[in-house]
Amino acid sequence: MVEYLWDDLVAPAPSDPLAECVYGSRLIGSDPAMVLHGGGNTSAKAPFSDITGQEVETLWVKGSGWDLASIEKEGFAPLPIQRLRQLLDLDSLSDIEMMRELSAARLDPAAPQPSVESLLHALIPHRAVLHSHADAIVTLTNLEDGADRVREVLGEGVLIVPYVMPGFDLAREVRDMWPSGGDCSTGMVLMNHGLFTYGDTTRQAYRRHLDLINRAARWLESHAPHRPAEGGPLGRVDPVELARIRTEISRAAGRPMISVRHATAEVARFVGRADLSSVATRGPLTPDHVIRTKRIPMVGRDVAGYADQYRLYYQRNLHRARGETTMLDPAPRVVVDPEIGMLAVGATAADSQIASDIYHHTIPVLTRAEDHLGGYAALPEGDLFEVEYWELEQAKLRRRGASPELAGMAALVTGAASGIGRACAEELMERGAAVTGLDLSPGVVDAFDSPAWLGVPCDVTDPAAQTRAVERAVERFGGIDIVVVCAGIFGGVSPIAELDASEWRKVMAVNVDAAADLLSGVHPFLRLSPAGGRVVVVSTRNVPAPGPGAAAYSSSKAALTQLGRVAALEWASDGIRVNIVNPDAVFDTGIWNEELLATRAAHYGIGVEAYKRRNLLGTPVTSSQVAEVVAELASDRFAATTGAQIPIDGGNERVV
Ligand code: ZN
């Protein structure tokens, strides 16, 4: 059931229809049971006074690039209604022509590109219009006898429109069907698509929207009750197998892809169905999901077989393509498997999240329809293909711009809660990678708020804990392409003559032993990386130029450097690059505190400020500078470099 949330104390008065529309749009846009990732749009009709003072009857319709949940007035494009009606009188209008005409008709050239549904909004003779893809409504429309059920459940006042591709054709279809009286309708259901309601005010349209959705939800609850899954989540799957599947998917896609495992009780119940391969391959709830999820998920693990099927589907339906005619990549975006559960696949962690959200909404619709309501029936594949290869849908994806250089790559960074490790995690995410950060500090969990971030509290000196953290990284993002070995401690400062043996062993345990454990544990994943594995070891200037008093730190980092060099030798044949950075005097890190700074400065007989710039260039060195070099080494620009040691120390006369 959907809650009625209109608040008269907050909502703008109907005298400001656009402000009212913004309020109503946000209400429906923030409910994922109605509007999920762009499915839906809204409009208001109001006079627009132009620069000459002339009043133009205007449609304010949602523009592209705006989410309903956060839309502002600037998210709406003003269009002259009379012009839209003229366009509707044409015999035909291609998508490209329609979008050009809509764009040219804008009364404000700075307004966003108007929705492809603008013509439909214009012909509805009500001031306020709301459109959503509500789950409860599409559940009804996607039944075997969908139109009859919609009529039975929603009653006579609802216009039922058979599926037509959105745009000019749909607007024409609705215009031809619209009852001449115009007042008998409480709403309009588009089969296999969604719901329109309208009214004199957005509030009225919103009330009707909720009334119809709740009528459908009540009917579904009594005829096809949804019960929470009783079983538990799925168990462990060999992480190397998860990485192998993700690598095959990435090869099919032609680029590294993020693949996120979902194994909740709800997913477990779905993938445990005996008829999984039939139920899961009926098709999406609404056609605009195809650009996110593909037409059907992959059932099982045969990526090559899925890609072959996709090629055949492409060839079979090529004559239906509108616009783009080169084949899109044939890799699945959703995988269902009885042991794994669901894998949600995307070019980035955010894309994977969208595919996951959509499929989590799809599962209960499929099961209800299949188990209680006579069966689920999606659109024929030709109609879905038409939307998948629709210029205007592909444009939605393209508008987000070129992929960042590390998009689809999964990184693991140790010591990621602060200092250089945190800066590396941030820089890698900025360049498009998904990052798992390990740190002793529990604060690592919330270090970043992003679908591309997984923070795992972990004592790296506990091999079992580190192994579990690596497994979590693979479950979360599908594999590991980049490893940044950054966790490290400085230890106490003392001359060798007064060596504290336990302190020595502690420093060795964190700086060397844990790193050796980690590299050994991640090798199977780096070897499977679709992009070629990359490791960056954060060592120190102390290795080529040690200072007195820090024997444990310098020795441990020298061993770490040697570990990295051996890895470069051993792993080159696996396509894995291992490089080393030697920063020095990076004072914005957890290793340094005021006391240590003062001690070291005193050791050299200079002040703290001078100590911070004690290098050839006289420049301070920051965590973010180190992070940029690390990310650069992890990028393709260093594709021909392995085993290198790069100073990031402002220049040191004992090193150059
Ligand atoms: Zn729609």
PDB file of all heavy atoms in Angstrom, residues 251-287:
ATOM      1  N   ARG A 251      34.654  -9.713 -20.430  1.00  0.00           N
ATOM      2  CA  ARG A 251      35.168  -9.967 -21.785  1.00  0.00           C
ATOM      3  C   ARG A 251      34.038  -9.792 -22.792  1.00  0.00           C
ATOM      4  O   ARG A 251      34.225  -9.198 -23.854  1.00  0.00           O
ATOM      5  CB  ARG A 251      35.741 -11.380 -21.867  1.00  0.00           C
ATOM      6  CG  ARG A 251      36.953 -11.530 -20.960  1.00  0.00           C
ATOM      7  CD  ARG A 251      38.134 -12.228 -21.644  1.00  0.00           C
ATOM      8  NE  ARG A 251      39.338 -12.004 -20.842  1.00  0.00           N
ATOM      9  CZ  ARG A 251      39.817 -12.876 -19.949  1.00  0.00           C
ATOM     10  NH1 ARG A 251      39.233 -14.052 -19.795  1.00  0.00           N
ATOM     11  NH2 ARG A 251      40.888 -12.583 -19.250  1.00  0.00           N
ATOM     12  N   ALA A 252      32.844 -10.317 -22.461  1.00  0.00           N
ATOM     13  CA  ALA A 252      31.706 -10.181 -23.379  1.00  0.00           C
ATOM     14  C   ALA A 252      31.329  -8.707 -23.545  1.00  0.00           C
ATOM     15  O   ALA A 252      30.943  -8.273 -24.632  1.00  0.00           O
ATOM     16  CB  ALA A 252      30.510 -10.978 -22.868  1.00  0.00           C
ATOM     17  N   ALA A 253      31.467  -7.937 -22.466  1.00  0.00           N
ATOM     18  CA  ALA A 253      31.095  -6.518 -22.519  1.00  0.00           C
ATOM     19  C   ALA A 253      32.162  -5.684 -23.212  1.00  0.00           C
ATOM     20  O   ALA A 253      31.896  -4.563 -23.660  1.00  0.00           O
ATOM     21  CB  ALA A 253      30.861  -5.982 -21.104  1.00  0.00           C
ATOM     22  N   GLY A 254      33.385  -6.214 -23.270  1.00  0.00           N
ATOM     23  CA  GLY A 254      34.467  -5.465 -23.895  1.00  0.00           C
ATOM     24  C   GLY A 254      35.095  -4.446 -22.962  1.00  0.00           C
ATOM     25  O   GLY A 254      35.874  -3.597 -23.378  1.00  0.00           O
ATOM     26  N   ARG A 255      34.762  -4.522 -21.679  1.00  0.00           N
ATOM     27  CA  ARG A 255      35.374  -3.628 -20.688  1.00  0.00           C
ATOM     28  C   ARG A 255      35.128  -4.208 -19.296  1.00  0.00           C
ATOM     29  O   ARG A 255      34.219  -5.026 -19.128  1.00  0.00           O
ATOM     30  CB  ARG A 255      34.772  -2.222 -20.777  1.00  0.00           C
ATOM     31  CG  ARG A 255      33.273  -2.167 -20.540  1.00  0.00           C
ATOM     32  CD  ARG A 255      32.778  -0.746 -20.725  1.00  0.00           C
ATOM     33  NE  ARG A 255      31.394  -0.596 -20.359  1.00  0.00           N
ATOM     34  CZ  ARG A 255      30.367  -0.891 -21.131  1.00  0.00           C
ATOM     35  NH1 ARG A 255      30.562  -1.400 -22.340  1.00  0.00           N
ATOM     36  NH2 ARG A 255      29.127  -0.703 -20.716  1.00  0.00           N
ATOM     37  N   PRO A 256      35.927  -3.817 -18.308  1.00  0.00           N
ATOM     38  CA  PRO A 256      35.702  -4.366 -16.967  1.00  0.00           C
ATOM     39  C   PRO A 256      34.330  -3.947 -16.432  1.00  0.00           C
ATOM     40  O   PRO A 256      33.910  -2.795 -16.632  1.00  0.00           O
ATOM     41  CB  PRO A 256      36.818  -3.763 -16.116  1.00  0.00           C
ATOM     42  CG  PRO A 256      37.634  -2.902 -16.987  1.00  0.00           C
ATOM     43  CD  PRO A 256      37.061  -2.872 -18.356  1.00  0.00           C
ATOM     44  N   MET A 257      33.656  -4.877 -15.791  1.00  0.00           N
ATOM     45  CA  MET A 257      32.326  -4.601 -15.258  1.00  0.00           C
ATOM     46  C   MET A 257      32.301  -4.909 -13.765  1.00  0.00           C
ATOM     47  O   MET A 257      32.969  -5.836 -13.306  1.00  0.00           O
ATOM     48  CB  MET A 257      31.278  -5.483 -15.955  1.00  0.00           C
ATOM     49  CG  MET A 257      31.179  -5.292 -17.463  1.00  0.00           C
ATOM     50  SD  MET A 257      30.430  -3.716 -17.938  1.00  0.00           S
ATOM     51  CE  MET A 257      28.704  -4.191 -17.974  1.00  0.00           C
ATOM     52  N   ILE A 258      31.509  -4.152 -13.038  1.00  0.00           N
ATOM     53  CA  ILE A 258      31.283  -4.429 -11.624  1.00  0.00           C
ATOM     54  C   ILE A 258      30.147  -5.443 -11.520  1.00  0.00           C
ATOM     55  O   ILE A 258      29.135  -5.327 -12.210  1.00  0.00           O
ATOM     56  CB  ILE A 258      30.919  -3.124 -10.879  1.00  0.00           C
ATOM     57  CG1 ILE A 258      32.095  -2.141 -10.907  1.00  0.00           C
ATOM     58  CG2 ILE A 258      30.489  -3.412  -9.447  1.00  0.00           C
ATOM     59  CD1 ILE A 258      33.341  -2.601 -10.204  1.00  0.00           C
ATOM     60  N   SER A 259      30.337  -6.451 -10.672  1.00  0.00           N
ATOM     61  CA  SER A 259      29.334  -7.507 -10.527  1.00  0.00           C
ATOM     62  C   SER A 259      29.104  -7.732  -9.035  1.00  0.00           C
ATOM     63  O   SER A 259      30.004  -8.186  -8.333  1.00  0.00           O
ATOM     64  CB  SER A 259      29.854  -8.773 -11.212  1.00  0.00           C
ATOM     65  OG  SER A 259      29.144  -9.900 -10.790  1.00  0.00           O
ATOM     66  N   VAL A 260      27.918  -7.383  -8.561  1.00  0.00           N
ATOM     67  CA  VAL A 260      27.639  -7.397  -7.125  1.00  0.00           C
ATOM     68  C   VAL A 260      26.741  -8.581  -6.780  1.00  0.00           C
ATOM     69  O   VAL A 260      25.690  -8.761  -7.397  1.00  0.00           O
ATOM     70  CB  VAL A 260      26.951  -6.080  -6.693  1.00  0.00           C
ATOM     71  CG1 VAL A 260      26.703  -6.067  -5.189  1.00  0.00           C
ATOM     72  CG2 VAL A 260      27.788  -4.875  -7.104  1.00  0.00           C
ATOM     73  N   ARG A 261      27.176  -9.387  -5.804  1.00  0.00           N
ATOM     74  CA  ARG A 261      26.366 -10.544  -5.412  1.00  0.00           C
ATOM     75  C   ARG A 261      25.270 -10.144  -4.422  1.00  0.00           C
ATOM     76  O   ARG A 261      25.520  -9.416  -3.469  1.00  0.00           O
ATOM     77  CB  ARG A 261      27.249 -11.630  -4.774  1.00  0.00           C
ATOM     78  CG  ARG A 261      26.445 -12.871  -4.428  1.00  0.00           C
ATOM     79  CD  ARG A 261      27.291 -13.959  -3.775  1.00  0.00           C
ATOM     80  NE  ARG A 261      26.446 -15.128  -3.519  1.00  0.00           N
ATOM     81  CZ  ARG A 261      26.558 -15.939  -2.476  1.00  0.00           C
ATOM     82  NH1 ARG A 261      27.509 -15.732  -1.580  1.00  0.00           N
ATOM     83  NH2 ARG A 261      25.743 -16.958  -2.313  1.00  0.00           N
ATOM     84  N   HIS A 262      24.043 -10.629  -4.692  1.00  0.00           N
ATOM     85  CA  HIS A 262      22.918 -10.437  -3.761  1.00  0.00           C
ATOM     86  C   HIS A 262      22.402 -11.820  -3.384  1.00  0.00           C
ATOM     87  O   HIS A 262      22.055 -12.612  -4.267  1.00  0.00           O
ATOM     88  CB  HIS A 262      21.807  -9.617  -4.415  1.00  0.00           C
ATOM     89  CG  HIS A 262      22.252  -8.230  -4.791  1.00  0.00           C
ATOM     90  ND1 HIS A 262      22.083  -7.141  -3.961  1.00  0.00           N
ATOM     91  CD2 HIS A 262      22.892  -7.767  -5.891  1.00  0.00           C
ATOM     92  CE1 HIS A 262      22.590  -6.061  -4.549  1.00  0.00           C
ATOM     93  NE2 HIS A 262      23.088  -6.410  -5.721  1.00  0.00           N
ATOM     94  N   ALA A 263      22.354 -12.110  -2.095  1.00  0.00           N
ATOM     95  CA  ALA A 263      22.027 -13.473  -1.663  1.00  0.00           C
ATOM     96  C   ALA A 263      21.045 -13.470  -0.496  1.00  0.00           C
ATOM     97  O   ALA A 263      21.042 -14.357   0.336  1.00  0.00           O
ATOM     98  CB  ALA A 263      23.313 -14.198  -1.280  1.00  0.00           C
ATOM     99  N   THR A 264      20.171 -12.452  -0.425  1.00  0.00           N
ATOM    100  CA  THR A 264      19.204 -12.357   0.676  1.00  0.00           C
ATOM    101  C   THR A 264      18.197 -13.511   0.608  1.00  0.00           C
ATOM    102  O   THR A 264      18.113 -14.228  -0.397  1.00  0.00           O
ATOM    103  CB  THR A 264      18.406 -11.052   0.570  1.00  0.00           C
ATOM    104  OG1 THR A 264      17.732 -11.057  -0.696  1.00  0.00           O
ATOM    105  CG2 THR A 264      19.304  -9.826   0.644  1.00  0.00           C
ATOM    106  N   ALA A 265      17.406 -13.630   1.669  1.00  0.00           N
ATOM    107  CA  ALA A 265      16.392 -14.688   1.717  1.00  0.00           C
ATOM    108  C   ALA A 265      15.406 -14.556   0.545  1.00  0.00           C
ATOM    109  O   ALA A 265      14.993 -15.558  -0.044  1.00  0.00           O
ATOM    110  CB  ALA A 265      15.649 -14.624   3.055  1.00  0.00           C
ATOM    111  N   GLU A 266      15.036 -13.320   0.203  1.00  0.00           N
ATOM    112  CA  GLU A 266      14.096 -13.110  -0.912  1.00  0.00           C
ATOM    113  C   GLU A 266      14.696 -13.616  -2.229  1.00  0.00           C
ATOM    114  O   GLU A 266      14.029 -14.280  -3.020  1.00  0.00           O
ATOM    115  CB  GLU A 266      13.773 -11.608  -1.072  1.00  0.00           C
ATOM    116  CG  GLU A 266      12.907 -11.010   0.014  1.00  0.00           C
ATOM    117  CD  GLU A 266      11.468 -11.512  -0.032  1.00  0.00           C
ATOM    118  OE1 GLU A 266      10.960 -11.793  -1.144  1.00  0.00           O
ATOM    119  OE2 GLU A 266      10.860 -11.632   1.047  1.00  0.00           O
ATOM    120  N   VAL A 267      15.959 -13.272  -2.438  1.00  0.00           N
ATOM    121  CA  VAL A 267      16.641 -13.730  -3.657  1.00  0.00           C
ATOM    122  C   VAL A 267      16.776 -15.247  -3.624  1.00  0.00           C
ATOM    123  O   VAL A 267      16.537 -15.934  -4.628  1.00  0.00           O
ATOM    124  CB  VAL A 267      18.017 -13.047  -3.792  1.00  0.00           C
ATOM    125  CG1 VAL A 267      18.831 -13.691  -4.908  1.00  0.00           C
ATOM    126  CG2 VAL A 267      17.859 -11.546  -4.055  1.00  0.00           C
ATOM    127  N   ALA A 268      17.122 -15.798  -2.444  1.00  0.00           N
ATOM    128  CA  ALA A 268      17.305 -17.250  -2.311  1.00  0.00           C
ATOM    129  C   ALA A 268      16.023 -17.984  -2.699  1.00  0.00           C
ATOM    130  O   ALA A 268      16.055 -18.985  -3.414  1.00  0.00           O
ATOM    131  CB  ALA A 268      17.714 -17.590  -0.875  1.00  0.00           C
ATOM    132  N   ARG A 269      14.877 -17.469  -2.241  1.00  0.00           N
ATOM    133  CA  ARG A 269      13.615 -18.124  -2.558  1.00  0.00           C
ATOM    134  C   ARG A 269      13.369 -18.101  -4.067  1.00  0.00           C
ATOM    135  O   ARG A 269      12.931 -19.073  -4.667  1.00  0.00           O
ATOM    136  CB  ARG A 269      12.463 -17.429  -1.826  1.00  0.00           C
ATOM    137  CG  ARG A 269      11.103 -18.030  -2.185  1.00  0.00           C
ATOM    138  CD  ARG A 269       9.999 -17.510  -1.307  1.00  0.00           C
ATOM    139  NE  ARG A 269       9.816 -16.072  -1.457  1.00  0.00           N
ATOM    140  CZ  ARG A 269       8.878 -15.381  -0.807  1.00  0.00           C
ATOM    141  NH1 ARG A 269       8.066 -15.986   0.033  1.00  0.00           N
ATOM    142  NH2 ARG A 269       8.760 -14.081  -0.991  1.00  0.00           N
ATOM    143  N   PHE A 270      13.677 -16.969  -4.677  1.00  0.00           N
ATOM    144  CA  PHE A 270      13.427 -16.842  -6.118  1.00  0.00           C
ATOM    145  C   PHE A 270      14.313 -17.798  -6.925  1.00  0.00           C
ATOM    146  O   PHE A 270      13.829 -18.539  -7.782  1.00  0.00           O
ATOM    147  CB  PHE A 270      13.652 -15.395  -6.557  1.00  0.00           C
ATOM    148  CG  PHE A 270      13.375 -15.157  -8.017  1.00  0.00           C
ATOM    149  CD1 PHE A 270      12.088 -15.254  -8.522  1.00  0.00           C
ATOM    150  CD2 PHE A 270      14.406 -14.843  -8.886  1.00  0.00           C
ATOM    151  CE1 PHE A 270      11.825 -15.039  -9.870  1.00  0.00           C
ATOM    152  CE2 PHE A 270      14.155 -14.626 -10.239  1.00  0.00           C
ATOM    153  CZ  PHE A 270      12.866 -14.728 -10.729  1.00  0.00           C
ATOM    154  N   VAL A 271      15.623 -17.779  -6.631  1.00  0.00           N
ATOM    155  CA  VAL A 271      16.528 -18.622  -7.436  1.00  0.00           C
ATOM    156  C   VAL A 271      16.370 -20.104  -7.100  1.00  0.00           C
ATOM    157  O   VAL A 271      16.847 -20.962  -7.831  1.00  0.00           O
ATOM    158  CB  VAL A 271      18.015 -18.205  -7.292  1.00  0.00           C
ATOM    159  CG1 VAL A 271      18.225 -16.789  -7.776  1.00  0.00           C
ATOM    160  CG2 VAL A 271      18.499 -18.365  -5.852  1.00  0.00           C
ATOM    161  N   GLY A 272      15.664 -20.406  -5.973  1.00  0.00           N
ATOM    162  CA  GLY A 272      15.428 -21.791  -5.614  1.00  0.00           C
ATOM    163  C   GLY A 272      14.232 -22.401  -6.337  1.00  0.00           C
ATOM    164  O   GLY A 272      13.942 -23.583  -6.187  1.00  0.00           O
ATOM    165  N   ARG A 273      13.503 -21.598  -7.125  1.00  0.00           N
ATOM    166  CA  ARG A 273      12.314 -22.104  -7.822  1.00  0.00           C
ATOM    167  C   ARG A 273      12.711 -23.160  -8.861  1.00  0.00           C
ATOM    168  O   ARG A 273      13.679 -22.984  -9.597  1.00  0.00           O
ATOM    169  CB  ARG A 273      11.598 -20.962  -8.547  1.00  0.00           C
ATOM    170  CG  ARG A 273      10.986 -19.921  -7.647  1.00  0.00           C
ATOM    171  CD  ARG A 273      10.382 -18.819  -8.492  1.00  0.00           C
ATOM    172  NE  ARG A 273       9.239 -19.322  -9.249  1.00  0.00           N
ATOM    173  CZ  ARG A 273       7.972 -19.103  -8.923  1.00  0.00           C
ATOM    174  NH1 ARG A 273       7.690 -18.382  -7.868  1.00  0.00           N
ATOM    175  NH2 ARG A 273       7.005 -19.592  -9.662  1.00  0.00           N
ATOM    176  N   ALA A 274      11.893 -24.190  -8.931  1.00  0.00           N
ATOM    177  CA  ALA A 274      12.156 -25.235  -9.923  1.00  0.00           C
ATOM    178  C   ALA A 274      11.998 -24.679 -11.334  1.00  0.00           C
ATOM    179  O   ALA A 274      12.665 -25.118 -12.274  1.00  0.00           O
ATOM    180  CB  ALA A 274      11.211 -26.408  -9.697  1.00  0.00           C
ATOM    181  N   ASP A 275      11.118 -23.670 -11.496  1.00  0.00           N
ATOM    182  CA  ASP A 275      10.853 -23.118 -12.832  1.00  0.00           C
ATOM    183  C   ASP A 275      11.655 -21.842 -13.092  1.00  0.00           C
ATOM    184  O   ASP A 275      11.264 -21.009 -13.913  1.00  0.00           O
ATOM    185  CB  ASP A 275       9.358 -22.839 -12.996  1.00  0.00           C
ATOM    186  CG  ASP A 275       8.837 -21.850 -11.955  1.00  0.00           C
ATOM    187  OD1 ASP A 275       9.621 -21.450 -11.054  1.00  0.00           O
ATOM    188  OD2 ASP A 275       7.654 -21.462 -12.040  1.00  0.00           O
ATOM    189  N   LEU A 276      12.806 -21.689 -12.366  1.00  0.00           N
ATOM    190  CA  LEU A 276      13.574 -20.438 -12.465  1.00  0.00           C
ATOM    191  C   LEU A 276      13.882 -20.043 -13.910  1.00  0.00           C
ATOM    192  O   LEU A 276      13.667 -18.901 -14.312  1.00  0.00           O
ATOM    193  CB  LEU A 276      14.887 -20.558 -11.676  1.00  0.00           C
ATOM    194  CG  LEU A 276      15.808 -19.334 -11.772  1.00  0.00           C
ATOM    195  CD1 LEU A 276      15.171 -18.125 -11.078  1.00  0.00           C
ATOM    196  CD2 LEU A 276      17.180 -19.618 -11.171  1.00  0.00           C
ATOM    197  N   SER A 277      14.363 -21.003 -14.700  1.00  0.00           N
ATOM    198  CA  SER A 277      14.832 -20.605 -16.031  1.00  0.00           C
ATOM    199  C   SER A 277      13.662 -20.151 -16.905  1.00  0.00           C
ATOM    200  O   SER A 277      13.850 -19.373 -17.846  1.00  0.00           O
ATOM    201  CB  SER A 277      15.606 -21.737 -16.697  1.00  0.00           C
ATOM    202  OG  SER A 277      14.807 -22.887 -16.750  1.00  0.00           O
ATOM    203  N   SER A 278      12.456 -20.584 -16.580  1.00  0.00           N
ATOM    204  CA  SER A 278      11.298 -20.116 -17.333  1.00  0.00           C
ATOM    205  C   SER A 278      10.801 -18.762 -16.794  1.00  0.00           C
ATOM    206  O   SER A 278      10.635 -17.800 -17.543  1.00  0.00           O
ATOM    207  CB  SER A 278      10.189 -21.169 -17.255  1.00  0.00           C
ATOM    208  OG  SER A 278       8.933 -20.591 -17.502  1.00  0.00           O
ATOM    209  N   VAL A 279      10.606 -18.682 -15.477  1.00  0.00           N
ATOM    210  CA  VAL A 279      10.044 -17.457 -14.877  1.00  0.00           C
ATOM    211  C   VAL A 279      10.964 -16.253 -15.082  1.00  0.00           C
ATOM    212  O   VAL A 279      10.509 -15.144 -15.362  1.00  0.00           O
ATOM    213  CB  VAL A 279       9.803 -17.657 -13.362  1.00  0.00           C
ATOM    214  CG1 VAL A 279       9.294 -16.371 -12.728  1.00  0.00           C
ATOM    215  CG2 VAL A 279       8.823 -18.782 -13.129  1.00  0.00           C
ATOM    216  N   ALA A 280      12.274 -16.497 -14.939  1.00  0.00           N
ATOM    217  CA  ALA A 280      13.217 -15.376 -14.972  1.00  0.00           C
ATOM    218  C   ALA A 280      13.409 -14.811 -16.375  1.00  0.00           C
ATOM    219  O   ALA A 280      13.973 -13.732 -16.539  1.00  0.00           O
ATOM    220  CB  ALA A 280      14.565 -15.819 -14.402  1.00  0.00           C
ATOM    221  N   THR A 281      12.940 -15.519 -17.383  1.00  0.00           N
ATOM    222  CA  THR A 281      13.254 -15.084 -18.750  1.00  0.00           C
ATOM    223  C   THR A 281      12.005 -14.631 -19.515  1.00  0.00           C
ATOM    224  O   THR A 281      11.966 -14.718 -20.736  1.00  0.00           O
ATOM    225  CB  THR A 281      13.950 -16.211 -19.534  1.00  0.00           C
ATOM    226  OG1 THR A 281      13.152 -17.396 -19.451  1.00  0.00           O
ATOM    227  CG2 THR A 281      15.315 -16.515 -18.960  1.00  0.00           C
ATOM    228  N   ARG A 282      11.003 -14.122 -18.785  1.00  0.00           N
ATOM    229  CA  ARG A 282       9.796 -13.654 -19.471  1.00  0.00           C
ATOM    230  C   ARG A 282       9.960 -12.238 -20.029  1.00  0.00           C
ATOM    231  O   ARG A 282       9.358 -11.902 -21.031  1.00  0.00           O
ATOM    232  CB  ARG A 282       8.595 -13.661 -18.507  1.00  0.00           C
ATOM    233  CG  ARG A 282       8.304 -15.012 -17.896  1.00  0.00           C
ATOM    234  CD  ARG A 282       7.636 -15.946 -18.901  1.00  0.00           C
ATOM    235  NE  ARG A 282       7.616 -17.306 -18.376  1.00  0.00           N
ATOM    236  CZ  ARG A 282       6.712 -17.747 -17.498  1.00  0.00           C
ATOM    237  NH1 ARG A 282       5.759 -16.944 -17.063  1.00  0.00           N
ATOM    238  NH2 ARG A 282       6.777 -18.969 -17.050  1.00  0.00           N
ATOM    239  N   GLY A 283      10.733 -11.429 -19.332  1.00  0.00           N
ATOM    240  CA  GLY A 283      10.911 -10.053 -19.807  1.00  0.00           C
ATOM    241  C   GLY A 283      10.668  -9.046 -18.707  1.00  0.00           C
ATOM    242  O   GLY A 283      10.188  -9.396 -17.631  1.00  0.00           O
ATOM    243  N   PRO A 284      11.030  -7.779 -18.952  1.00  0.00           N
ATOM    244  CA  PRO A 284      11.004  -6.750 -17.910  1.00  0.00           C
ATOM    245  C   PRO A 284       9.590  -6.232 -17.605  1.00  0.00           C
ATOM    246  O   PRO A 284       8.658  -6.470 -18.369  1.00  0.00           O
ATOM    247  CB  PRO A 284      11.855  -5.637 -18.512  1.00  0.00           C
ATOM    248  CG  PRO A 284      11.651  -5.791 -19.979  1.00  0.00           C
ATOM    249  CD  PRO A 284      11.482  -7.260 -20.234  1.00  0.00           C
ATOM    250  N   LEU A 285       9.487  -5.507 -16.484  1.00  0.00           N
ATOM    251  CA  LEU A 285       8.197  -4.941 -16.090  1.00  0.00           C
ATOM    252  C   LEU A 285       7.754  -3.851 -17.046  1.00  0.00           C
ATOM    253  O   LEU A 285       6.587  -3.758 -17.411  1.00  0.00           O
ATOM    254  CB  LEU A 285       8.282  -4.348 -14.678  1.00  0.00           C
ATOM    255  CG  LEU A 285       8.703  -5.284 -13.550  1.00  0.00           C
ATOM    256  CD1 LEU A 285       8.560  -4.582 -12.212  1.00  0.00           C
ATOM    257  CD2 LEU A 285       7.878  -6.554 -13.573  1.00  0.00           C
ATOM    258  N   THR A 286       8.679  -2.986 -17.407  1.00  0.00           N
ATOM    259  CA  THR A 286       8.364  -1.949 -18.396  1.00  0.00           C
ATOM    260  C   THR A 286       9.554  -1.874 -19.357  1.00  0.00           C
ATOM    261  O   THR A 286      10.695  -2.156 -18.966  1.00  0.00           O
ATOM    262  CB  THR A 286       8.100  -0.555 -17.774  1.00  0.00           C
ATOM    263  OG1 THR A 286       9.345   0.072 -17.515  1.00  0.00           O
ATOM    264  CG2 THR A 286       7.303  -0.632 -16.504  1.00  0.00           C
ATOM    265  N   PRO A 287       9.294  -1.503 -20.605  1.00  0.00           N
ATOM    266  CA  PRO A 287      10.359  -1.573 -21.617  1.00  0.00           C
ATOM    267  C   PRO A 287      11.581  -0.731 -21.277  1.00  0.00           C
ATOM    268  O   PRO A 287      12.684  -1.091 -21.664  1.00  0.00           O
ATOM    269  CB  PRO A 287       9.675  -1.039 -22.879  1.00  0.00           C
ATOM    270  CG  PRO A 287       8.224  -1.232 -22.648  1.00  0.00           C
ATOM    271  CD  PRO A 287       8.004  -1.104 -21.174  1.00  0.00           C
TER     272      PRO A 287
END
